[in-house]
Amino acid sequence: AVVSTQSTGGAAAERYVQSEELFLRIRKAALSLGPELKLGGNGPVIAKRMAMEGADVLLAIQNEKIYRDRIAEDVQLHGETVDTESESYDLHIIMEFEKGETWGSYSSDRANRYILHRDVHNPSLKGLTAVQEAVQDFQPDLFVLGGLQMLDTYPFTDQELDERMNQIEDFLKALPAKTLIHFEMASFVNARFLKRLTDVILPYSDSLGMNEQELPNLSSVIKTGETVYISDSKVKISRTMDDTRELLDILSDLTPRPRGTELSRVHVHTLAYQAVFTLSSSRRWQSGITTAVKSSLTATRYVCGNEHIDISKTRMILDGSFSLSNSIPGAKRIPIIDSTPVSCWEEGRFEVCLAPVLVCTQIKQTGGGGDNLTGVGLFYHLN
């Protein structure tokens, strides 16, 4: 039932399997199909991408053995080694399906993915503990916090969850004053957990990243305390603009801001376009135009699985122009010009840059796409 919901209109999802017996059966069946094994986890994928672009990276990690073979050698790893041969090893199973694919009586109306795991290591936040001392020596310009969906449906007691939240907050408090904090959203289903997470993390965040499905989910939880289970697969730019404006207005009233900073950056990465909001007065970020362009190109290359972009295997989903609002009467429309398709304009205190994406028509992969866009976007946005 859950997979059918995802395939016929839901957001991409990642869920914890509580039954060990069931997960081991799924794991065995998946491995019997000879699946492609890839580097996984939000942090490792973002770290690998930023290192590829030229950044010096320190990564909090659970498994040095398996990651050392799959990640750039100059990425510093800190964390305990886990037995990769054990059946309890944290293998995450990703089912990817293209638009129109069928499973029994169900048909997918969008390219999407569904992820199953029984990860017992990441919810413990051991990687965070392992990297805490190293961060003080590393003195990073940027700290990226992601993968917290691992805690979303994990069977914590209230006390255990509070301990995890306190651990995250203590870590953020201890970061060097110069370090920017980026929080990468994900697929969350537990409204109470997401509300608790946003209460703890958003006051510390300088930057947020999310896709077109996660943006309305975050706004909904902040406003109503409820999550959004079904998402629109064709989100108009005008809707994204309205949702982001509303989110920025809500978050601008967040008090206190323990580090004395304010939210200065939002990157919304969607199937059809990349939208980057940058606080115009910020000296820590460059203009968002390069971030929007680089993220757009990365989206096409990653999903097509080829560094060379073959125009014949892509298409533009956007129309020839877009409105800046779905709710403001007479809102300005901005044309998309073939020779200069990237648009930038001022929205109150923010500069907004938007780049269309050449959407791949022969999809190689979608899982990990957002993390690659996040890594590229952050690298080229830092001043």
Side-chain angles (χ1 to χ4, degrees):
V2 175
V3 177
S4 71
T5 301
Q6 302 309 126
S7 66
T8 56
E14 185 168 3
R15 300 291 179 258
Y16 176 82
V17 179
Q18 296 207 21
S19 168
E20 182 177 11
E21 179 186 359
L22 174 60
F23 183 73
L24 289 179
R25 286 168 55 198
I26 295 172
R27 183 182 189 275
K28 183 178 180 180
L31 290 174
S32 72
L33 299 174
E36 186 176 359
L37 296 177
K38 289 190 173 183
L39 177 74
N42 303 91
V45 175
I46 294 171
K48 182 178 181 180
R49 171 54 70 171
M50 295 192 78
M52 285 172 60
E53 300 299 329
D56 294 326
V57 180
L58 171 69
L59 175 62
I61 201 66
Q62 289 296 316
N63 191 319
E64 186 165 333
K65 277 185 180 177
I66 196 166
Y67 281 112
R68 186 74 282 169
D69 295 335
R70 289 172 168 80
I71 204 163
E73 289 186 2
D74 51 354
V75 173
Q76 298 183 37
L77 301 182
H78 283 262
E80 68 177 35
T81 299
V82 179
D83 179 11
T84 60
E85 301 303 318
S86 168
E87 279 199 330
S88 64
Y89 169 56
D90 297 329
L91 187 70
H92 294 208
I93 299 168
I94 305 175
M95 295 179 285
E96 298 208 51
F97 38 92
E98 296 186 28
K99 181 178 180 180
E101 272 199 83
T102 59
W103 186 357
S105 60
Y106 301 105
S107 177
S108 172
D109 65 358
R110 64 195 293 180
N112 212 334
R113 63 192 175 276
Y114 187 62
I115 305 173
L116 295 171
H117 71 90
R118 187 175 166 75
D119 192 328
V120 298
H121 296 286
N122 281 304
S124 70
L125 300 181
K126 291 180 181 178
L128 203 62
T129 303
V131 82
Q132 195 147 18
E133 291 184 9
V135 164
Q136 298 304 319
D137 295 330
F138 194 72
Q139 289 289 306
D141 295 309
L142 173 71
F143 174 72
V144 180
L145 182 61
L148 294 180
Q149 71 275 14
M150 293 292 97
L151 286 69
D152 184 39
T153 53
Y154 192 82
F156 288 122
T157 65
D158 288 345
Q159 180 180 349
E160 288 171 334
L161 183 57
D162 284 341
E163 289 172 354
R164 299 299 187 278
M165 293 295 102
N166 291 337
Q167 187 178 350
I168 292 171
E169 185 168 17
D170 288 344
F171 183 94
L172 297 177
K173 284 179 180 177
L175 285 171
K178 72 163 192 169
T179 303
L180 291 165
I181 298 174
H182 173 83
F183 173 48
E184 188 67 21
M185 273 285 290
S187 171
F188 293 97
V189 67
N190 184 330
R192 180 176 171 276
F193 170 74
L194 182 54
K195 183 64 169 67
R196 182 83 171 88
L197 193 67
T198 55
D199 288 344
V200 169
I201 292 175
L202 292 188
Y204 290 89
S205 299
D206 301 286
S207 171
L208 298 176
M210 64 203 79
N211 64 27
E212 68 271 34
Q213 302 154 6
E214 295 154 2
L215 172 60
N217 199 21
L218 179 59
S219 297
S220 177
V221 163
I222 294 174
K223 288 188 301 180
T224 70
E226 300 293 331
T227 53
V228 176
Y229 287 93
I230 302 295
S231 66
D232 189 345
S233 62
K234 298 177 181 178
V235 182
K236 291 184 177 180
I237 294 175
S238 56
R239 169 71 183 277
T240 297
M241 294 298 111
D242 287 339
D243 285 348
T244 310
R245 283 190 205 99
E246 183 178 47
L247 181 64
L248 288 170
D249 286 343
I250 294 170
L251 297 183
S252 68
D253 294 331
L254 271 183
T255 54
R257 297 282 299 189
R259 288 162 52 91
T261 62
E262 61 181 319
L263 182 67
S264 52
R265 177 185 185 272
V266 176
H267 180 186
V268 183
H269 38 85
T270 85
L271 174 68
Y273 53 89
Q274 304 291 312
V276 182
F277 290 69
T278 312
L279 186 66
S280 300
S281 61
S282 175
R283 296 181 179 180
R284 302 299 305 276
W285 307 106
Q286 302 186 61
S287 168
I289 186 168
T290 303
T291 287
V293 171
K294 289 286 188 178
S295 298
S296 174
L297 294 173
T298 300
T300 307
R301 289 169 176 150
Y302 183 82
V303 175
C304 289
N306 195 330
E307 284 298 303
H308 171 71
I309 296 177
D310 185 344
I311 300 298
S312 68
K313 297 179 181 179
T314 67
R315 65 189 178 99
M316 279 273 289
I317 292 180
L318 297 184
D319 297 326
S321 65
F322 59 90
S323 172
L324 294 186
S325 176
N326 200 39
S327 60
I328 301 174
K332 181 180 178 181
R333 293 194 69 86
I334 293 182
I336 298 176
I337 302 170
D338 289 346
S339 58
T340 54
V342 183
S343 304
C344 292
W345 65 93
E346 295 296 320
E347 283 268 348
R349 299 187 305 136
F350 284 81
E351 174 206 56
V352 185
C353 289
L354 186 141
V357 172
L358 290 173
V359 179
C360 188
T361 56
Q362 296 183 23
I363 296 169
K364 172 69 175 176
Q365 58 197 354
T366 62
D371 294 330
N372 275 270
L373 302 182
T374 293
V376 165
L378 287 167
F379 179 81
Y380 288 100
H381 209 171
L382 278 171
N383 195 0

